[in-house]
Structures are given as C-alpha cells and as structure tokens.
Amino acid sequence: MRGKASCAAVSRRFREKSSAYAQRSRRRGLGIRRIAGETLLLVQFLVISAAATQSGSVDFAELTQALRAFQEKPSAETAASVRALLPREGQLKFDDSAQARAAREALDDGLPTLEAQVEAVDRDAIRLGFQLLAVADAPISKSLNAILGRLITTDARVFLEELLRWRTELKPRTLGQLVGTLGKEYVEQDHEAVCEEIQRRIDALLAVNEAALTEARDECVNELRQRRPRCG
C-alpha cells in the first residue's frame, strides 16, 4: 500500500509540475507574441513614415517648429531636426494650407541664420543648406545658391567636400547656378565687380589640391569660366 501511495504522490507532483510548466510556457508564449506584435507595429510605423518622407509628404507643423528652433538656437541638434523632416526624394511642396504657409514663412525667416552659420563654416548648417537645396524650388533655391556659393571664397575645401556629399541629390544643371549665383548685393554692381568676384571664386577653388576633390574642383571652375565669357 505504501508503494501505491508513494507512486500516486509522485504522479500527482509530476502532474502539478507539468501544469505549472505549461502555464509558464503559455505566459512566455503570450509575452513573445506580444513583443513580436509590438515590434511589427513599430516596423510598420517606420516604413510608413519613411515612405511618407520619401514621397515628399511633410508634417508642416513639425517643420515650422524645427525651423523656429534652429533660427532661435542654431546647433547640430536643431539642424538635424530640420533635416530629418525634409523629403528624401522629390520636392518640398508648400500647398495653400495654413500650416504650409507657416512653414514657408519659418523657412524664409531662418535663411539669415543659416547664412550666418554657413559663413562661419558650420558643417551642420552647410549640410542643412545642401539638403534644402536638393528639395527646394525657386525662389528659395536661388537664395540657397547664393548662401552656399559664397562659401567658396570662405573655405573652398569645405565647399567641395560638402558638395561631394550632396552632388547626386542635386537637380541636373544646378552646379552652374550653385557656384555662379552671386547674391542680391551684386545685382546693382558694375560688370567689373561681378567679374572680380567670379575670379576670386576660381582662384579659391584652384588653391585646393586634394586629389579626392580635384574632379569636383575642375567642374566648378569650368562652370564659373562659362559664366564670365565677357570678363576677359
């Protein structure tokens, strides 16, 4: 009898342990499925967000906030925040909505700050300028061309390095506009002043001798020389 009782007790303990193990396994299974489900939702959200950014869709309210933050305090962080909201493909298209108009106004207001940072050879601001140029239409693109083009006489090496980072993103036939747009201050200048500025840019570029930059340098110089056929 003691043997039968002992066997019954062992069997009962085995069933209890098996039941507990099964419950733990079910809980783990539910936890794994929950984590997998949350991960899938996150991936789907990221894919949808990336697709929206690539297609040119922009959250204008967030862009306005990011642009105002950059204008108030230009830094690597605020520049990166603006860049993260810009479309990866296509153009930055402002519609007639109030939010789009606010974003366009914030962009216009932020250009002087961007210009000052580019003049100070702030790499983050320069990269923001090139990314904006890749997606912006006129007249914003014209202002950006003037801002970035002036970097040639400030630091031609940095200009060429950052140009190479964004060259494939820029629209066709924009190199001449980038290096040759002199800005509003030259609109009423005489012919000689324009020619002198173009020559200063050519001389600054030709002073860069790094092998990795020579091809881009020569392309820029060629574009500038085509823009001054009457300079002699």
Side-chain angles (χ1 to χ4, degrees), residues 46-71:
L46 293 174
V47 169
I48 292 170
S49 299
T53 304
Q54 289 177 354
S55 67
S57 177
V58 174
D59 188 323
F60 288 116
E62 288 191 6
L63 181 59
T64 299
Q65 185 177 359
L67 286 165
R68 294 298 183 191
F70 175 78
Q71 181 184 4

mmCIF file of all heavy atoms in Angstrom, residues 46-71:
data_model
loop_
_atom_site.group_PDB
_atom_site.id
_atom_site.type_symbol
_atom_site.label_atom_id
_atom_site.label_comp_id
_atom_site.label_asym_id
_atom_site.label_seq_id
_atom_site.Cartn_x
_atom_site.Cartn_y
_atom_site.Cartn_z
ATOM 1 N N LEU A 46 7.610 52.760 -38.934
ATOM 2 C CA LEU A 46 8.819 53.318 -39.529
ATOM 3 C C LEU A 46 8.767 53.271 -41.043
ATOM 4 O O LEU A 46 9.186 54.207 -41.722
ATOM 5 C CB LEU A 46 10.056 52.568 -39.013
ATOM 6 C CG LEU A 46 10.369 52.745 -37.531
ATOM 7 C CD1 LEU A 46 11.514 51.832 -37.117
ATOM 8 C CD2 LEU A 46 10.713 54.193 -37.223
ATOM 9 N N VAL A 47 8.263 52.169 -41.591
ATOM 10 C CA VAL A 47 8.151 52.051 -43.047
ATOM 11 C C VAL A 47 7.205 53.097 -43.602
ATOM 12 O O VAL A 47 7.490 53.765 -44.603
ATOM 13 C CB VAL A 47 7.693 50.633 -43.437
ATOM 14 C CG1 VAL A 47 7.323 50.580 -44.917
ATOM 15 C CG2 VAL A 47 8.776 49.620 -43.132
ATOM 16 N N ILE A 48 6.043 53.258 -42.929
ATOM 17 C CA ILE A 48 5.074 54.246 -43.390
ATOM 18 C C ILE A 48 5.653 55.653 -43.295
ATOM 19 O O ILE A 48 5.508 56.467 -44.205
ATOM 20 C CB ILE A 48 3.775 54.141 -42.554
ATOM 21 C CG1 ILE A 48 3.062 52.817 -42.866
ATOM 22 C CG2 ILE A 48 2.848 55.312 -42.846
ATOM 23 C CD1 ILE A 48 1.904 52.519 -41.929
ATOM 24 N N SER A 49 6.361 55.940 -42.178
ATOM 25 C CA SER A 49 6.960 57.262 -42.007
ATOM 26 C C SER A 49 8.006 57.524 -43.073
ATOM 27 O O SER A 49 8.077 58.608 -43.648
ATOM 28 C CB SER A 49 7.600 57.380 -40.617
ATOM 29 O OG SER A 49 6.621 57.223 -39.616
ATOM 30 N N ALA A 50 8.853 56.517 -43.346
ATOM 31 C CA ALA A 50 9.889 56.679 -44.365
ATOM 32 C C ALA A 50 9.272 56.887 -45.729
ATOM 33 O O ALA A 50 9.722 57.722 -46.519
ATOM 34 C CB ALA A 50 10.812 55.456 -44.380
ATOM 35 N N ALA A 51 8.220 56.127 -46.037
ATOM 36 C CA ALA A 51 7.564 56.262 -47.329
ATOM 37 C C ALA A 51 6.957 57.643 -47.488
ATOM 38 O O ALA A 51 7.032 58.260 -48.558
ATOM 39 C CB ALA A 51 6.485 55.196 -47.483
ATOM 40 N N ALA A 52 6.360 58.157 -46.403
ATOM 41 C CA ALA A 52 5.767 59.484 -46.474
ATOM 42 C C ALA A 52 6.829 60.540 -46.705
ATOM 43 O O ALA A 52 6.652 61.470 -47.498
ATOM 44 C CB ALA A 52 5.014 59.781 -45.174
ATOM 45 N N THR A 53 7.986 60.413 -46.010
ATOM 46 C CA THR A 53 9.061 61.373 -46.189
ATOM 47 C C THR A 53 9.639 61.295 -47.587
ATOM 48 O O THR A 53 9.914 62.306 -48.225
ATOM 49 C CB THR A 53 10.180 61.122 -45.150
ATOM 50 O OG1 THR A 53 9.605 61.176 -43.846
ATOM 51 C CG2 THR A 53 11.267 62.173 -45.260
ATOM 52 N N GLN A 54 9.821 60.076 -48.093
ATOM 53 C CA GLN A 54 10.396 59.916 -49.420
ATOM 54 C C GLN A 54 9.470 60.440 -50.507
ATOM 55 O O GLN A 54 9.914 60.929 -51.537
ATOM 56 C CB GLN A 54 10.715 58.441 -49.673
ATOM 57 C CG GLN A 54 11.890 57.937 -48.847
ATOM 58 C CD GLN A 54 12.153 56.464 -49.043
ATOM 59 O OE1 GLN A 54 11.398 55.777 -49.713
ATOM 60 N NE2 GLN A 54 13.224 55.971 -48.462
ATOM 61 N N SER A 55 8.176 60.332 -50.300
ATOM 62 C CA SER A 55 7.245 60.755 -51.329
ATOM 63 C C SER A 55 7.045 62.259 -51.359
ATOM 64 O O SER A 55 6.349 62.774 -52.221
ATOM 65 C CB SER A 55 5.889 60.075 -51.104
ATOM 66 O OG SER A 55 5.300 60.550 -49.897
ATOM 67 N N GLY A 56 7.653 62.990 -50.429
ATOM 68 C CA GLY A 56 7.538 64.431 -50.400
ATOM 69 C C GLY A 56 6.525 64.932 -49.395
ATOM 70 O O GLY A 56 6.373 66.132 -49.222
ATOM 71 N N SER A 57 5.811 64.045 -48.727
ATOM 72 C CA SER A 57 4.848 64.448 -47.714
ATOM 73 C C SER A 57 5.597 64.950 -46.486
ATOM 74 O O SER A 57 6.507 64.292 -46.000
ATOM 75 C CB SER A 57 3.945 63.271 -47.350
ATOM 76 O OG SER A 57 3.058 63.626 -46.318
ATOM 77 N N VAL A 58 5.202 66.120 -45.990
ATOM 78 C CA VAL A 58 5.916 66.735 -44.884
ATOM 79 C C VAL A 58 4.913 67.163 -43.823
ATOM 80 O O VAL A 58 3.833 67.668 -44.138
ATOM 81 C CB VAL A 58 6.718 67.966 -45.370
ATOM 82 C CG1 VAL A 58 7.346 68.702 -44.200
ATOM 83 C CG2 VAL A 58 7.788 67.546 -46.362
ATOM 84 N N ASP A 59 5.271 66.959 -42.567
ATOM 85 C CA ASP A 59 4.476 67.474 -41.470
ATOM 86 C C ASP A 59 4.861 68.938 -41.279
ATOM 87 O O ASP A 59 5.870 69.256 -40.657
ATOM 88 C CB ASP A 59 4.746 66.662 -40.197
ATOM 89 C CG ASP A 59 3.807 67.037 -39.061
ATOM 90 O OD1 ASP A 59 3.480 68.233 -38.924
ATOM 91 O OD2 ASP A 59 3.397 66.132 -38.306
ATOM 92 N N PHE A 60 4.075 69.838 -41.852
ATOM 93 C CA PHE A 60 4.451 71.252 -41.853
ATOM 94 C C PHE A 60 4.455 71.853 -40.453
ATOM 95 O O PHE A 60 5.240 72.767 -40.181
ATOM 96 C CB PHE A 60 3.511 72.041 -42.768
ATOM 97 C CG PHE A 60 3.741 71.777 -44.229
ATOM 98 C CD1 PHE A 60 2.766 71.186 -45.005
ATOM 99 C CD2 PHE A 60 4.939 72.133 -44.823
ATOM 100 C CE1 PHE A 60 2.983 70.944 -46.365
ATOM 101 C CE2 PHE A 60 5.172 71.892 -46.174
ATOM 102 C CZ PHE A 60 4.187 71.294 -46.948
ATOM 103 N N ALA A 61 3.594 71.371 -39.579
ATOM 104 C CA ALA A 61 3.583 71.888 -38.206
ATOM 105 C C ALA A 61 4.904 71.567 -37.509
ATOM 106 O O ALA A 61 5.508 72.429 -36.856
ATOM 107 C CB ALA A 61 2.403 71.298 -37.433
ATOM 108 N N GLU A 62 5.379 70.320 -37.655
ATOM 109 C CA GLU A 62 6.655 69.931 -37.053
ATOM 110 C C GLU A 62 7.814 70.658 -37.728
ATOM 111 O O GLU A 62 8.774 71.048 -37.067
ATOM 112 C CB GLU A 62 6.842 68.425 -37.143
ATOM 113 C CG GLU A 62 5.936 67.634 -36.218
ATOM 114 C CD GLU A 62 6.345 66.172 -36.137
ATOM 115 O OE1 GLU A 62 7.396 65.815 -36.703
ATOM 116 O OE2 GLU A 62 5.615 65.391 -35.504
ATOM 117 N N LEU A 63 7.739 70.824 -39.044
ATOM 118 C CA LEU A 63 8.807 71.522 -39.761
ATOM 119 C C LEU A 63 8.898 72.969 -39.304
ATOM 120 O O LEU A 63 10.000 73.499 -39.113
ATOM 121 C CB LEU A 63 8.554 71.448 -41.264
ATOM 122 C CG LEU A 63 9.609 72.127 -42.157
ATOM 123 C CD1 LEU A 63 10.985 71.517 -41.929
ATOM 124 C CD2 LEU A 63 9.217 72.019 -43.630
ATOM 125 N N THR A 64 7.760 73.620 -39.124
ATOM 126 C CA THR A 64 7.752 75.001 -38.634
ATOM 127 C C THR A 64 8.421 75.089 -37.280
ATOM 128 O O THR A 64 9.273 75.956 -37.029
ATOM 129 C CB THR A 64 6.307 75.527 -38.528
ATOM 130 O OG1 THR A 64 5.698 75.509 -39.818
ATOM 131 C CG2 THR A 64 6.282 76.949 -37.981
ATOM 132 N N GLN A 65 8.065 74.174 -36.392
ATOM 133 C CA GLN A 65 8.649 74.160 -35.049
ATOM 134 C C GLN A 65 10.156 73.940 -35.109
ATOM 135 O O GLN A 65 10.927 74.602 -34.394
ATOM 136 C CB GLN A 65 7.982 73.072 -34.208
ATOM 137 C CG GLN A 65 8.432 73.039 -32.759
ATOM 138 C CD GLN A 65 7.684 71.993 -31.956
ATOM 139 O OE1 GLN A 65 6.816 71.296 -32.472
ATOM 140 N NE2 GLN A 65 8.016 71.857 -30.686
ATOM 141 N N ALA A 66 10.596 73.021 -35.958
ATOM 142 C CA ALA A 66 12.030 72.728 -36.077
ATOM 143 C C ALA A 66 12.792 73.912 -36.659
ATOM 144 O O ALA A 66 13.899 74.232 -36.213
ATOM 145 C CB ALA A 66 12.237 71.485 -36.932
ATOM 146 N N LEU A 67 12.210 74.568 -37.654
ATOM 147 C CA LEU A 67 12.863 75.733 -38.273
ATOM 148 C C LEU A 67 12.974 76.883 -37.280
ATOM 149 O O LEU A 67 14.002 77.579 -37.230
ATOM 150 C CB LEU A 67 12.088 76.173 -39.506
ATOM 151 C CG LEU A 67 12.226 75.275 -40.740
ATOM 152 C CD1 LEU A 67 11.141 75.604 -41.763
ATOM 153 C CD2 LEU A 67 13.611 75.427 -41.371
ATOM 154 N N ARG A 68 11.932 77.097 -36.495
ATOM 155 C CA ARG A 68 11.971 78.166 -35.487
ATOM 156 C C ARG A 68 13.019 77.855 -34.422
ATOM 157 O O ARG A 68 13.717 78.757 -33.943
ATOM 158 C CB ARG A 68 10.593 78.328 -34.845
ATOM 159 C CG ARG A 68 9.496 78.842 -35.781
ATOM 160 C CD ARG A 68 9.803 80.215 -36.321
ATOM 161 N NE ARG A 68 8.726 80.734 -37.160
ATOM 162 C CZ ARG A 68 8.822 81.813 -37.917
ATOM 163 N NH1 ARG A 68 9.958 82.506 -37.942
ATOM 164 N NH2 ARG A 68 7.808 82.222 -38.662
ATOM 165 N N ALA A 69 13.128 76.585 -34.056
ATOM 166 C CA ALA A 69 14.134 76.195 -33.066
ATOM 167 C C ALA A 69 15.543 76.431 -33.605
ATOM 168 O O ALA A 69 16.430 76.899 -32.878
ATOM 169 C CB ALA A 69 13.946 74.732 -32.678
ATOM 170 N N PHE A 70 15.760 76.110 -34.884
ATOM 171 C CA PHE A 70 17.068 76.356 -35.494
ATOM 172 C C PHE A 70 17.361 77.847 -35.558
ATOM 173 O O PHE A 70 18.488 78.284 -35.295
ATOM 174 C CB PHE A 70 17.118 75.748 -36.895
ATOM 175 C CG PHE A 70 18.385 76.066 -37.644
ATOM 176 C CD1 PHE A 70 19.556 75.377 -37.363
ATOM 177 C CD2 PHE A 70 18.414 77.063 -38.610
ATOM 178 C CE1 PHE A 70 20.741 75.679 -38.040
ATOM 179 C CE2 PHE A 70 19.586 77.371 -39.290
ATOM 180 C CZ PHE A 70 20.755 76.668 -39.003
ATOM 181 N N GLN A 71 16.356 78.640 -35.926
ATOM 182 C CA GLN A 71 16.541 80.082 -36.005
ATOM 183 C C GLN A 71 16.892 80.671 -34.636
ATOM 184 O O GLN A 71 17.760 81.540 -34.528
ATOM 185 C CB GLN A 71 15.260 80.741 -36.540
ATOM 186 C CG GLN A 71 15.366 82.262 -36.690
ATOM 187 C CD GLN A 71 14.044 82.877 -37.122
ATOM 188 O OE1 GLN A 71 13.030 82.195 -37.244
ATOM 189 N NE2 GLN A 71 14.053 84.178 -37.351
#
